[in-house]
Amino acid sequence: MSGGLVVVPRLPEVLPARVEFIAADHPFPSVASVDAAKSLVTWGEQLSDRDLAICVFTGGSSALASLPPGGVSLADKTTLHRLLLASGMSIVEINTVRKHVSGIKGGRFARVLAPAQILNLTVSDVVGDPLDCITDPTVPIPHR
């Protein structure tokens, strides 16, 4: 498969060919964020073992592509994000909670992309660059 899907807070003025852009919300997830996550899953399910998924994470993915797990409403997930961001916790602690309350984080998106190969390109704004925190849609939750 060729092409791609990019989730951003604002659509660029010029859109490249063969790459679909979806605008979603940040810092709090919205219906657009859920739709974006579902679109990523649908796109990823089409990949084969002959494909390379180039995943670019530059921050904000927790809200931009937000997929509440079964039994959790979008309203509950948005409230959780608001409480976490106001809590004073570090971003590593916040993302640890977020990935446990997600249908796409904690490496779950990597499972969708399988059997394709994954190349992560990550711009970190988190001290220490913990991969399971900053690229966690494609990096599994560590078992410590």
Side-chain angles (χ1 to χ4, degrees):
M1 183 167 94
S2 65
L5 179 61
V6 180
V7 180
V8 293
R10 289 172 305 285
L11 294 178
E13 290 183 26
V14 178
L15 298 173
R18 298 184 0 191
V19 176
E20 179 184 355
F21 279 75
I22 298 173
D25 293 301
H26 181 271
F28 304 110
S30 66
V31 170
S33 304
V34 173
D35 290 344
K38 288 178 180 178
S39 292
L40 284 168
V41 168
T42 298
W43 182 86
E45 289 173 337
Q46 299 173 53
L47 299 180
S48 74
D49 61 353
R50 298 184 61 200
D51 291 312
L52 172 65
I54 300 173
C55 300
V56 180
F57 298 96
T58 61
S61 66
S62 294
L64 288 168
S66 183
L67 189 60
V72 177
S73 70
L74 173 58
D76 289 341
K77 187 136 172 92
T78 301
T79 298
L80 175 64
H81 276 240
R82 288 184 189 285
L83 291 170
L84 288 170
L85 291 176
S87 72
M89 294 167 51
S90 73
I91 191 62
V92 172
E93 294 167 321
I94 289 170
N95 280 353
T96 297
V97 174
R98 285 174 170 166
K99 69 180 136 193
H100 286 283
V101 187
S102 174
I104 198 169
K105 294 174 71 69
R108 292 174 188 92
F109 187 52
R111 288 190 212 131
V112 170
L113 297 175
Q117 295 292 309
I118 298 171
L119 170 63
N120 281 326
L121 302 176
T122 305
V123 176
S124 176
D125 60 353
V126 178
V127 174
D129 303 328
L131 289 179
D132 66 299
C133 175
I134 56 178
T135 60
D136 66 6
T138 55
V139 175
I141 298 169
H143 297 284
R144 298 182 181 131

